[in-house]
Amino acid sequence: TDYKRPHRMSPRLGVILLVTTWFCWGFSYPATGIMLDTVDVWAGRSIVMAVSGVMLLALAYVQGHEIAVPRAHCRDLVIAAVFNMTIFQVAMTVGIHLFSAGRTAVIVYTMPLWAAPLSFLVLGESVTWRRLVALTLGTAGLVILIASDIEKLDQAPLGALFMLAGAISWACGTIAQKRVDWGVPTTVLVGWQYVIGGLPIYIAAGAFVDYETVSFPTLWPLLSVIYNILIAFVFCYYAYYEVVRIFPVGIATVGTLATPIVGVFSGALVLGEKLAWPEYSALTLVVAGLGLPILWRSSRSRLR
């Protein structure tokens, strides 16, 4: 693959990766909840990030890729790592500590709201009415979910602010990643971002975790750790940034709105959480928002 020409990648591959990421990241909601029952939040995050980074770089090396990023892009890599990993993961970790890994984490998936204007200002991407309507519908679905748990925001407003900071940082990191023709595969980019951006988290884990009280996790928490490493961090981050290579930021980020919906319904399936009208309303709005561009393109194709 010519990594300097992302537009040559298959849009069909991008759609497959995007939809797969919805479900895999969505199921990481209950998996993270199970993991945090017995694994310290800082220790769990540092282990997952460190192992995922090594695995991605090892995978790139085994595939015969050069794992060194061109020197001209080293500064860009550090900037992307700070936004995508350091600020985002620290904000997420503190937010989860204050909020727990429940439905209030959907605040993070307001990210497309911040990415849309940034993509216009920094990348010069066009703003179409279809993208605006899709973003509005999807965001309305998330607002319903957040509003249904509004008492949690009152109980931990600082946690909400950290989640919001994570969303904005993720948007900035996506723009930082998109604006550069890296010349290396996504596995290398994400792997190094885990290594570089994870340094403050590894330090925090060493400073804050009382390892004398840490025990080896039982079966289900252990499986949840493995799921987070192999699926949520190794595969999903790779897939998401491949999608960012293929599509405009506006399309790639709007697609992430489906993830918390999958997370809510997977939580009902795995953890026995009850569903009511807010969940079904949010599902309807997000599906409508994601389906709008597809239906429009299909109708245009038939007219032609």
Side-chain angles (χ1 to χ4, degrees):
T1 303
D2 184 355
Y3 293 104
K4 293 185 179 180
R5 297 183 180 273
H7 61 276
R8 288 187 176 180
M9 296 180 185
S10 168
R12 181 175 297 178
L13 172 62
V15 172
I16 293 172
L17 289 175
L18 184 59
V19 173
T20 305
T21 302
W22 298 347
F23 287 95
C24 292
W25 256 341
F27 274 95
S28 72
Y29 270 61
T32 300
I34 294 171
M35 180 180 75
L36 293 180
D37 283 341
T38 56
V39 179
D40 177 86
V41 63
W42 287 103
R45 186 72 67 177
S46 63
I47 291 170
V48 169
M49 288 185 67
V51 175
S52 299
V54 171
M55 288 185 66
L56 282 167
L57 292 174
L59 177 62
Y61 181 80
V62 169
Q63 291 176 331
H65 298 300
E66 175 62 56
I67 63 172
V69 174
R71 184 173 298 178
H73 296 323
C74 286
R75 185 182 68 173
D76 298 313
L77 179 64
V78 171
I79 292 172
V82 168
F83 282 119
N84 284 326
M85 300 302 166
T86 306
I87 299 176
F88 176 67
Q89 294 294 342
V90 168
M92 279 285 291
T93 303
V94 175
I96 287 173
H97 179 70
L98 296 174
F99 256 159
S100 82
R103 281 172 31 180
T104 44
V106 298
I107 294 173
V108 171
Y109 287 92
T110 62
M111 179 269 288
L113 283 175
W114 318 108
L118 286 173
S119 67
F120 172 74
L121 294 173
V122 178
L123 304 176
E125 291 187 357
S126 60
V127 179
T128 66
W129 72 266
R130 293 188 302 279
R131 292 184 194 175
L132 287 175
V133 173
L135 180 61
T136 301
L137 290 173
T139 304
L142 297 192
V143 169
I144 290 175
L145 288 183
I146 295 171
S148 66
D149 274 348
I150 196 67
E151 70 279 358
K152 294 184 179 179
L153 301 182
D154 294 336
Q155 294 168 6
L158 186 60
L161 289 177
F162 272 100
M163 291 291 188
L164 183 60
I168 296 172
S169 180
W170 186 13
C172 292
T174 297
I175 300 299
Q177 185 112 349
K178 179 71 173 180
R179 65 187 292 270
V180 178
D181 287 336
W182 298 94
V184 294
T186 303
T187 47
V188 172
L189 293 177
V190 179
W192 278 118
Q193 285 183 52
Y194 280 137
V195 173
I196 297 169
L199 287 175
I201 295 177
Y202 309 146
I203 294 172
F208 299 145
V209 178
D210 182 4
Y211 288 96
E212 293 183 358
T213 63
V214 174
S215 59
F216 193 79
T218 55
L219 178 61
W220 286 109
L222 178 60
L223 292 176
S224 299
V225 171
I226 294 172
Y227 181 92
N228 273 284
I229 291 173
L230 296 180
I231 306 300
F233 276 68
V234 171
F235 171 74
C236 286
Y237 271 97
Y238 157 78
Y240 171 70
Y241 286 111
E242 278 289 273
V243 171
V244 170
R245 280 187 187 266
I246 297 170
F247 296 120
V249 168
I251 294 176
T253 56
V254 166
T256 64
L257 291 170
T259 299
I261 302 299
V262 175
V264 168
F265 280 82
S266 64
L269 178 65
V270 176
L271 304 177
E273 297 174 352
K274 294 182 179 180
L275 302 177
W277 71 265
E279 291 79 14
Y280 293 109
S281 299
L283 174 64
T284 302
L285 288 169
V286 170
V287 169
L290 296 176
L292 179 63
I294 298 173
L295 292 175
W296 173 263
R297 289 188 177 185
S298 299
S299 62
R300 295 271 299 205
S301 299
R302 286 195 296 269
L303 289 175
R304 290 175 183 175

